[in-house]
Amino acid sequence: HLIIAVSQFTRQEILRRFPKYENRTFAIHHGADHLLIPANRGIRPIVEPYFLFVGNLEARKNVSGLLRAFDIVKQQPRFKDFRLLLVGKPGFGYDEIKKLALEVKCKEHVIFPGFISNMGLVNYYQWAEAFVYPSFYEGFGFPILEAMRLSCPVISSRTSAAGEVAGES
């Protein structure tokens, strides 16, 4: 029997608990072929330029840190028209995230579109100025791969598997 992990990071997490399987555990990364790339961009989701986050809105994804960073970035004149789109479903710690979103100076520029279908996500990625993913902990980091596949610039943490997926790009 073999064990397949989605990243080297996840492989190491498995081996910390089950070291006897070292020679039978392998990392094989995901692909991103579930997102069909259209010939042309769809309709822009919002008029203003925006940064995009996609994932469960939860504490381990560092969404609170992203909100604080966006609040700082918004103070620079070149980012005054930017929005922050937080796409995803509420997760662990969502109440604190929502509370902070109502407290930051830039609160009127933070948008929670909720869950978006794969077809819709393609459009969001293609129009974003950058995809931002400051996650503290990832087993793989699928949204990073999705953004890169759609030629969306990525700003990511280098923790856990997020740095592994983003690589040197």
Side-chain angles (χ1 to χ4, degrees):
H1 293 91
L2 298 175
I3 300 170
I4 297 174
V6 296
S7 65
Q8 286 296 337
F9 175 78
T10 300
R11 179 181 183 272
Q12 292 305 315
E13 291 280 284
I14 293 167
L15 293 177
R16 275 189 322 131
R17 291 178 179 86
F18 306 102
K20 67 181 181 181
Y21 296 116
E22 182 169 9
N23 294 328
R24 297 182 1 203
T25 305
F26 301 91
I28 300 175
H29 292 151
H30 286 293
D33 63 348
H34 68 284
L35 295 179
L36 300 175
I37 301 174
N40 300 310
R41 283 181 171 180
I43 297 170
R44 190 176 178 94
I46 65 170
V47 174
E48 299 85 4
Y50 62 91
F51 293 117
L52 177 66
F53 170 89
V54 175
N56 287 337
L57 303 172
E58 56 188 35
R60 78 176 172 92
K61 303 282 187 182
N62 195 16
V63 179
S64 294
L66 175 55
L67 284 165
R68 289 185 191 97
F70 184 64
D71 212 27
I72 293 168
V73 166
K74 284 290 290 178
Q75 295 173 24
Q76 297 179 27
R78 70 182 183 165
F79 294 110
K80 71 178 179 67
D81 295 329
F82 273 66
R83 302 294 188 260
L84 174 61
L85 275 63
L86 300 172
V87 175
K89 298 184 288 187
F92 178 77
Y94 177 75
D95 292 339
E96 291 82 20
I97 292 166
K98 193 66 173 176
K99 182 177 182 258
L100 179 61
L102 296 172
E103 293 172 355
V104 292
K105 293 176 200 159
C106 65
K107 63 183 168 242
E108 66 277 359
H109 295 145
V110 177
I111 301 168
F112 290 85
F115 176 80
I116 305 290
S117 70
N118 281 347
M119 260 176 76
L121 271 181
V122 169
N123 203 36
Y124 276 76
Y125 280 121
Q126 288 184 320
W127 285 101
E129 297 297 319
F131 171 70
V132 186
Y133 205 66
S135 183
F136 290 129
Y137 185 90
E138 290 299 319
F140 184 72
F142 218 93
I144 297 167
L145 184 63
E146 292 173 340
M148 291 182 352
R149 182 165 193 266
L150 293 163
S151 301
C152 179
V154 174
I155 301 168
S156 173
S157 60
R158 294 186 80 45
T159 60
S160 60
E164 183 180 339
V165 173
E168 297 300 318
S169 51

